[in-house]
Amino acid sequence: MDMQLDPAGDDLPLMANTSHILVKHYVLDLDVDFESQVIEGTIVLFLEDGDRFKKQNRSVEEACQSESNKGCKLGMPEPCHVPVTNAMTFSSEMEYNDCAICSKGEKDTSDKDGNHDNQEHAAGISSSKRCCDTGNHGSEEFLLVLDCCDLSVLKVEEVDVAAVPGMEKFTRSPELTVVSEELRNQIVRELVTLPANRWREQLDYYARCSQAAGCGELLFDTDTWSLQIRKTGAQTATDFPHAIRIWYKTKPEGRSVTWTSDQSGRPCVYTVGSPVNNRALFPCQEPPVAMSTWQATVRAAASFVVLMSGENSAKPTQLWEGCSSWYYYVTMPMPASTFTIAVGCWTEVKMEPCSSGDSATETPFSPPEADFRHVGVCSHMEYPCRFQNASATTQQIIPHRVFAPVCLTGACQETLLQLIPPCLSAAHSVLGTHPFSRLDVLIVPANFPSLGMASPHIMFLSQSILTGGSHLCGTRLCHEIAHAWFGLALGARDWTEEWLSEGFASHLEDVFWAAAQQLAPHEAREQQELRACLRWRRLQDEMQSSPTEMQVLRPNKDKTGHTSDSGASVIKHGLNPEKIFMQVHYLKGYFLLRFLAERLGDETYFSFLRKFVHAFHGQLILSQDFLQMLLENIPEEKRLELSVENIYQDWLESSGIPKPLQRERSAGAECGLARQVRAEVTKWIRVNRRPRRRKRREREAVFEKLLPDQLVLLLEHLLEQKTLSHRTLQSLQRTYHLQDQDAEVEVDAQAGHSKFPGAEGTSHQEQPTTERPPWPRLSGHRSLFSSRPRGIVPFAKTAVLNSALRVRGSCF
């Protein structure tokens, strides 16, 4: 390797040598075993030379610089079924038995890390520090490096794609009549570069190739963070096999998946938004630049439902009694970190029959029709793009399904199902074309450490959003829907710039939710001002309780987006345990976008945002891409000394609270909803100061009804009091029915009882803490492409929250 990494440090390593070779497609063929808590099977990687990919990218960028270029008309993908059967059955009997012996433990020759003992491997590449060349030069053998941890790798082999019937159509050179490495690599090169309108054929051939027999084992080794593979005699990436199969299994303690039970007590497993993303689920290339497609066949007991990031709404296929197979595929290239899977005894929740149907009412925030028409060629790599499909651009509500444990189906019907159509419609009215063709929503188990997580075609939501009315459910749903555009359809090229995902989602959730509620403009403004007030308080707390160096939104500064020669890099503070609880990238990013929107005016700002989405969807971006395009598209008189450099200095590269925000909050007057809260706080302080026995003539205080956000703000103010009497706490409970409020209000109520013990009757349930970012998640996730935690911690004082929050079964 060309960079030295300290695994014990706070920085997360991305080891894949993406500058030399790229995975273009994954084919997964897996079995889920709940008894052993292991997922095992094969993954086939289809590779492309890094140099070839760079040349293609340069030609696309040059072609897209001219706005006069006309867009290509590509067909949208429609559901198709290309089942991938167990790859074992397509290998020789000898290969099948060897693997079976190893995987079943009858004759396990694995090393202490569970890796297959390749006899030549110890002498050849026993350590990543050996002098194996990871690039396209030198005399040593080329080394393919994949991101990998917490996996038992059993065998790696080259796939004989030339043996697949019909593959001769992909051989252009007449002289290549003898099956050779060059012929097999040429077939793969032709396959991965098929035009987008042949996506069905491409998926079919990927499936066939993945089932082909192996044509020779490859040498491999693993260390803490990587899997390294080489072939004897292959000195460059061009010579290295372009289709390889890896036999592996996960470990129960692997950090990419959580094995647990759902709220009905049934076993389940789901992807978590841990900092290691998916490298403990399958060997992959984790850097965001390694954008790929995938298809997967997953087998599980017939009682289980398999949900996954996929463009098709998969249905189970019975293989034999008691076992079903599920097949999903994706044709839009995305980072491997966005891949998500959940297997459990979920129940699909359906709407009760009603006469009104499921169509959403028109929202009042409809931009001109012209904003939805994309003029010019898409700038991303070629794939079947919805932005180029006329019917997709006008589809306000994409098809969606809701899954939950059986005990929560009633709550989902009552709240969640009713909110999805108006929230999807509101998002379309603001940003236009939905980037993804469908959506599955899953209520995940109680130990899910977040309010929500968005991934391609699937969204995880905490059970906490189902209680206490529609407000928390609606805002969280809008936040995750916003990630379809910011975090998934376009994402950060450098995972440290999480604000490009979380800041946008936090800002847009307010806009979407106001549109979904069909609020009048002045009502929407009041609601958004109140939420800004709450976030301002949370940001102040965050600045006081977090390390200074972790308050910076662009920590790599002028080195943002830089990698080593091989493509390897590290994510600053990626493994720091404090980071998953921090909200700096949410809050400072939100206030920056709010500052820009107010400076430009909503009409100008959101018109630009739609233009930006059209220009950059399907791509990776850095902060300057957004800021430069923004400043180029606004009149000079509205810039008011705004510049990319000033925004870097004030907002992105400095710790603490940005000076423009300090000035704005100091000068700004409170909104009407906040003033109403102030009046109620004054009443409660008077009540708290009264002696137990008061004069008969003294009138009882009359308290106003408050919105959920107002109630959170009220409790925040009351928590600042030195003491609250037992009588006051009980009165608060009776007045606002705190036990029936949503999770944000209840957390503040719990905080009050924690700070001022003595009141009775407050029920406690699992509370969310944070959530994974989408393609770092810009997550996990879960962050286009982000995948670490995303979510907003309820707005209570940090010190009090730490004592009040008790997450049942939390994995943090």
Side-chain angles (χ1 to χ4, degrees):
M1 296 294 292
D2 59 351
M3 63 185 305
Q4 298 297 318
L5 299 173
D6 177 15
D10 289 339
D11 293 335
L12 173 69
L14 302 180
M15 305 292 286
N17 53 338
T18 55
S19 293
H20 304 316
I21 195 165
L22 284 169
V23 178
K24 301 300 292 180
H25 188 77
Y26 298 93
V27 180
L28 296 99
D29 187 46
L30 303 173
D31 290 280
V32 181
D33 186 345
F34 281 94
E35 289 188 10
S36 61
Q37 295 191 341
V38 163
I39 299 174
E40 64 180 316
T42 65
I43 182 170
V44 177
L45 282 59
F46 294 87
L47 303 160
E48 183 177 49
D49 300 357
D51 289 340
R52 179 185 174 90
F53 175 76
K54 289 174 185 176
K55 290 176 183 177
Q56 290 175 344
N57 265 5
R58 281 196 294 269
S59 63
V60 170
E61 290 173 3
E62 291 169 2
C64 294
Q65 285 177 354
S66 173
E67 293 185 0
S68 61
N69 291 337
K70 295 183 178 179
C72 56
K73 304 299 181 183
L74 303 176
M76 283 175 52
E78 299 174 1
C80 76
H81 186 70
V82 189
V84 182
T85 55
N86 193 332
M88 291 181 181
T89 62
F90 288 84
S91 299
S92 67
E93 190 69 23
M94 179 73 72
E95 290 168 334
Y96 174 86
N97 289 335
D98 288 346
C99 185
I101 289 172
C102 183
S103 63
K104 297 299 182 183
E106 297 176 10
K107 183 182 177 183
D108 193 348
T109 58
S110 304
D111 62 18
K112 64 181 180 180
D113 294 323
N115 300 306
H116 186 71
D117 184 11
N118 188 314
Q119 294 179 357
E120 294 181 75
H121 136 212
I125 112 179
S126 60
S127 169
S128 62
K129 295 180 176 62
R130 294 291 180 99
C131 300
C132 294
D133 193 356
T134 64
N136 292 345
H137 55 277
S139 59
E140 298 292 340
E141 290 166 341
F142 174 78
L143 196 66
L144 169 65
V145 182
L146 300 174
D147 294 298
C148 173
C149 72
D150 301 335
L151 292 178
S152 296
V153 179
L154 308 175
K155 183 171 72 171
V156 182
E157 64 181 357
E158 182 177 0
V159 179
D160 189 6
V161 296
V164 177
M167 297 306 290
E168 57 273 6
K169 69 170 66 176
F170 297 110
T171 56
R172 292 186 176 182
S173 302
E175 63 273 13
L176 294 178
T177 55
V178 179
V179 175
S180 62
E181 193 73 70
E182 186 178 357
L183 175 65
R184 286 190 285 265
N185 285 354
Q186 183 187 97
I187 290 172
V188 175
R189 279 195 292 268
E190 295 297 322
L191 178 57
V192 300
T193 55
L194 282 178
N197 59 2
R198 295 174 64 184
W199 65 272
R200 287 179 180 274
E201 178 186 7
Q202 186 180 47
L203 285 178
D204 179 57
Y205 276 109
Y206 278 139
R208 294 188 195 182
C209 289
S210 71
Q211 298 164 7
C215 55
E217 287 195 35
L218 302 176
L219 308 177
F220 69 90
D221 189 24
T222 61
D223 58 23
T224 304
W225 292 112
S226 69
L227 165 64
Q228 306 119 32
I229 305 168
R230 72 178 176 92
K231 179 178 180 178
T232 303
Q235 295 184 356
T236 68
T238 303
D239 301 330
F240 190 81
H242 283 25
I244 63 172
R245 181 184 294 118
I246 301 171
W247 304 77
Y248 77 98
K249 57 184 178 180
T250 65
K251 298 180 180 180
E253 68 274 15
R255 286 165 281 179
S256 292
V257 292
T258 292
W259 299 87
T260 185
S261 297
D262 66 18
Q263 293 85 341
S264 296
R266 303 296 299 274
C268 61
V269 61
Y270 63 91
T271 312
V272 294
S274 64
V276 301
N277 296 319
N278 280 324
R279 68 185 71 184
L281 177 61
F282 58 89
C284 58
Q285 291 184 329
E286 288 249 306
V289 69
M291 296 168 65
S292 58
T293 52
W294 58 76
Q295 60 197 105
T297 298
V298 180
R299 287 170 296 280
S303 58
F304 290 92
V305 173
V306 177
L307 301 177
M308 189 184 296
S309 304
E311 293 167 18
N312 57 315
S313 298
K315 301 294 182 183
T317 300
Q318 184 173 346
L319 298 179
W320 55 82
E321 186 176 356
C323 182
S324 295
S325 174
W326 300 71
Y327 171 76
Y328 288 89
Y329 66 85
V330 161
T331 62
M332 174 183 174
M334 286 173 288
S337 60
T338 64
F339 180 97
T340 298
I341 186 173
V343 184
C345 298
W346 323 120
T347 298
E348 184 175 358
V349 185
K350 297 184 179 180
M351 187 80 73
E352 294 291 337
C354 61
S355 57
S356 60
D358 61 354
S359 59
T361 309
E362 287 293 326
T363 57
F365 200 105
S366 296
E369 184 180 351
D371 284 333
F372 295 146
R373 294 200 301 266
H374 178 49
V375 179
V377 66
C378 289
S379 299
H380 53 68
M381 65 181 74
E382 190 178 7
Y383 66 84
C385 180
R386 285 174 55 82
F387 286 80
Q388 293 291 341
N389 185 282
S391 61
T393 60
T394 58
Q395 187 180 27
Q396 295 185 28
I397 304 171
I398 57 176
H400 52 276
R401 304 182 298 179
V402 174
F403 293 86
V406 65
C407 64
L408 294 177
T409 55
C412 289
Q413 284 179 332
E414 183 179 346
T415 305
L416 180 58
L417 273 178
Q418 314 291 333
L419 290 174
I420 293 176
C423 290
L424 287 171
S425 181
H428 180 273
S429 72
V430 177
L431 292 181
T433 307
H434 287 282
F436 301 102
S437 58
R438 69 172 200 94
L439 174 66
D440 281 341
V441 180
L442 173 65
I443 302 299
V444 281
N447 68 339
F448 183 63
S450 172
L451 283 176
M453 184 181 81
S455 298
H457 315 285
I458 185 171
M459 177 190 301
F460 290 172
L461 292 177
S462 167
Q463 66 178 39
S464 297
I465 70 166
L466 298 177
T467 60
S470 63
H471 178 74
L472 180 59
C473 186
T475 54
R476 176 48 45 177
L477 188 59
C478 287
H479 182 99
E480 303 306 334
I481 288 173
H483 277 308
W485 285 269
F486 292 95
L488 293 174
L490 62 90
R493 202 170 86 208
D494 188 312
W495 281 3
T496 61
E497 292 202 303
E498 294 171 59
W499 81 272
L500 287 169
S501 175
E502 299 306 340
F504 274 98
S506 299
H507 188 226
L508 287 169
E509 78 174 67
D510 294 354
V511 180
F512 290 178
W513 181 230
Q517 297 173 92
Q518 300 183 347
L519 298 181
H522 73 280
E523 292 177 314
R525 186 72 177 177
E526 279 285 299
Q527 186 182 89
Q528 291 166 19
E529 288 287 348
L530 178 63
R531 290 182 68 78
C533 179
L534 287 167
R535 289 190 175 107
W536 168 243
R537 296 173 64 85
R538 181 70 189 97
L539 180 61
Q540 290 177 300
D541 291 339
E542 188 92 342
M543 294 300 101
Q544 295 174 9
S545 60
S546 60
T548 302
E549 67 274 10
M550 296 180 69
Q551 298 175 10
V552 180
L553 299 190
R554 197 168 178 260
N556 291 335
K557 299 185 179 180
D558 59 342
K559 294 183 179 179
T560 301
H562 289 193
T563 62
S564 67
D565 290 341
S566 73
S569 62
V570 295
I571 306 303
K572 199 171 183 66
H573 307 302
L575 293 175
N576 191 318
E578 292 186 61
K579 192 165 189 292
I580 59 176
F581 296 103
M582 294 184 61
Q583 302 296 308
V584 169
H585 45 287
Y586 293 80
L587 298 169
K588 289 179 74 171
Y590 158 80
F591 278 113
L592 169 57
L593 296 171
R594 179 180 167 85
F595 167 78
L596 294 172
E598 290 180 346
R599 184 70 66 92
L600 274 61
D602 282 350
E603 183 177 353
T604 301
Y605 175 76
F606 287 107
S607 177
F608 160 75
L609 212 54
R610 290 187 288 276
K611 183 176 180 181
F612 179 75
V613 167
H614 280 301
F616 283 97
H617 68 274
Q619 299 177 77
L620 299 164
I621 62 170
L622 298 174
S623 294
Q624 56 261 40
D625 297 316
F626 171 74
L627 296 173
Q628 287 172 356
M629 184 173 175
L630 175 72
L631 296 177
E632 290 169 359
N633 281 268
I634 61 176
E636 183 67 36
E637 63 272 13
K638 287 191 174 183
R639 294 187 193 177
L640 300 177
E641 299 181 356
L642 280 181
S643 68
V644 174
E645 292 72 22
N646 289 343
I647 293 173
Y648 278 169
Q649 181 178 347
D650 292 339
W651 292 89
L652 302 182
E653 296 181 355
S654 300
S655 59
I657 296 176
K659 293 180 181 178
L661 179 59
Q662 287 180 324
R663 291 193 294 267
E664 174 198 321
R665 300 310 299 184
S666 300
E670 281 188 326
C671 64
L673 294 176
R675 288 195 299 271
Q676 185 181 6
V677 171
R678 286 279 187 186
E680 298 304 295
V681 170
T682 302
K683 295 178 188 177
W684 280 108
I685 291 175
R686 284 202 300 264
V687 168
N688 189 54
R689 290 174 179 171
R690 286 175 184 165
R692 183 175 294 274
R693 295 181 180 179
R694 56 182 182 274
K695 298 179 181 178
R696 290 184 179 179
R697 295 181 182 178
E698 191 173 355
R699 299 176 59 185
E700 287 281 349
V702 178
F703 297 103
E704 301 292 333
K705 184 177 180 179
L706 298 179
L707 299 171
D709 283 335
Q710 288 182 296
L711 190 49
V712 172
L713 183 59
L714 173 82
L715 295 174
E716 283 278 311
H717 282 301
L718 292 179
L719 282 170
E720 294 172 350
Q721 298 299 305
K722 290 184 178 180
T723 59
L724 287 179
S725 68
H726 171 81
R727 174 174 42 83
T728 301
L729 290 170
Q730 289 186 320
S731 184
L732 280 166
Q733 180 90 0
R734 290 192 304 269
T735 302
Y736 300 117
H737 306 286
L738 297 180
Q739 70 277 8
D740 298 325
Q741 298 293 336
D742 64 36
E744 286 189 332
V745 174
E746 190 174 346
V747 167
D748 266 5
Q750 288 290 336
H753 285 265
S754 178
K755 182 178 179 181
F756 312 113
E760 301 174 354
T762 301
S763 62
H764 179 72
Q765 66 174 16
E766 166 264 336
Q767 299 299 341
T769 51
T770 98
E771 141 202 47
R772 121 178 157 177
W775 295 44
R777 138 182 135 83
L778 263 215
S779 105
H781 234 98
R782 122 224 253 35
S783 302
L784 175 74
F785 311 124
S786 134
S787 50
R788 256 174 318 245
R790 315 181 261 279
I792 294 185
V793 174
F795 305 98
K797 294 292 182 183
T798 302
V800 180
L801 266 180
N802 288 339
S803 63
L805 282 176
R806 296 187 297 275
V807 182
R808 188 169 65 246
S810 172
C811 64
F812 290 108

